[in-house]
Amino acid sequence: DGGITQSPKYLFRKEGQNVTLSCEQNLNHDAMYWYRQDPGQGLRLIYYSQIVNDFQKGDIAEGYSVSREKKESFPLTVTSAQKNPTAFYLCASSPFLQETQYFGPGTRLLVL
Amino acid sequence: AQSVTQPDIHITVSEGASLELRCNYSYGATPYLFWYVQSPGQGLQLLLKYFSGDTLVQGIKGFEAEFKRSQSSFNLRKPSVHWSDAAEYFCAVGPTNNNDMRFGAGTRLTVKP
């Protein structure tokens, strides 16, 4: 079955630690996205990638980094510079930009 | 600036009653419009989308939405709500200046038995 997988489902971060969230898709989509979701605030775009080896900052990119070395994969690193990382992180993909986005199940990040 | 407003943070309806969730947008051109649903702790599932053509759009799970350009609205409707419809609903508009989508803050739906 085609789809988007995110791992892990829950992730714990210690103060000063970088953590990486995984996102993989087998839909053969060119575009991929990372969103952050906080209660009552909807989804906010962190980074997006239109194509392999290219990515752009979204509205709240500070404290985050991404890479897009393969079409199928778009990992997100939450760095120690992100002072309030506790949130639900959602990855999405679409055939190309401006098309319908399909979402993974999400990763909940908690700070110890 | 492009924006999406969902005026109702929380709505409660009785099972079997009709439902309308509101979505208003601010946009300079003809938008692409989407409704997604999210169950607790899950990702978002697409309910329906409007790109062009017929302004009344049918989606999954018995939902429909109507694009009204004059009112800058894309309200979601269902004639008879089921208990399994309890979830959070997000309206989204695109493309933005960054070629991505802008999401509303969401409306949480509670269904009373």
Side-chain angles (χ1 to χ4, degrees):
Chain A
D1 287 338
I4 302 175
T5 58
Q6 291 186 242
S7 60
K9 189 171 178 63
Y10 296 95
L11 187 58
F12 299 91
R13 194 192 92 166
K14 296 180 181 179
E15 294 288 341
Q17 188 180 48
N18 293 355
V19 292
T20 298
L21 284 61
S22 169
C23 177
E24 304 276 334
Q25 55 98 358
N26 60 6
L27 300 168
N28 199 33
H29 287 172
D30 281 329
M32 297 187 74
Y33 314 80
W34 274 106
Y35 292 91
R36 171 179 171 139
Q37 186 177 23
D38 297 280
Q41 294 195 41
L43 278 68
R44 293 183 290 168
L45 183 66
I46 305 172
Y47 270 98
Y48 68 98
S49 169
Q50 185 174 358
I51 200 168
V52 174
N53 293 322
D54 178 73
F55 48 83
Q56 305 294 329
K57 293 182 179 180
D59 297 324
I60 56 166
E62 185 174 351
Y64 300 96
S65 66
V66 293
S67 63
R68 186 86 188 275
E69 297 177 0
K70 298 187 301 182
K71 187 175 186 177
E72 303 80 22
S73 178
F74 191 41
L76 173 74
T77 296
V78 184
T79 74
S80 57
Q82 173 49 245
K83 297 307 179 187
N84 185 23
T86 297
F88 191 53
Y89 291 87
L90 286 161
C91 178
S93 71
S94 61
F96 47 86
L97 286 182
Q98 306 180 17
E99 243 293 352
T100 304
Q101 293 183 22
Y102 297 89
F103 285 80
T107 293
R108 187 165 298 280
L109 176 62
L110 301 166
V111 177
L112 298 178
Chain B
Q2 296 139 336
S3 64
V4 182
T5 301
Q6 294 182 245
D8 304 303
I9 296 173
H10 183 206
I11 284 183
T12 299
V13 299
S14 297
E15 190 168 16
S18 63
L19 172 70
E20 182 169 28
L21 301 182
R22 296 183 291 165
C23 174
N24 295 97
Y25 62 89
S26 170
Y27 207 79
T30 301
Y32 299 163
L33 298 158
F34 306 82
W35 274 100
Y36 286 87
V37 61
Q38 183 182 35
S39 297
Q42 302 296 317
L44 275 67
Q45 180 183 22
L46 179 71
L47 284 175
L48 47 80
K49 62 185 178 183
Y50 172 79
F51 281 11
S52 65
D54 192 344
T55 56
L56 184 62
V57 181
Q58 302 297 320
I60 62 171
K61 304 185 180 187
F63 286 93
E64 67 176 26
E66 186 170 13
F67 170 53
K68 294 185 177 180
R69 185 188 302 276
S70 61
Q71 299 177 20
S72 297
S73 70
F74 189 56
N75 294 348
L76 182 71
R77 300 193 294 249
K78 187 170 185 178
S80 177
V81 170
H82 188 262
W83 65 266
S84 60
D85 294 324
E88 187 141 24
Y89 291 80
F90 293 94
C91 179
V93 177
T96 70
N97 292 334
N98 290 335
N99 288 315
D100 67 325
M101 289 200 298
R102 184 79 52 187
F103 283 82
T107 298
R108 184 162 61 91
L109 174 65
T110 297
V111 181
K112 294 190 303 185

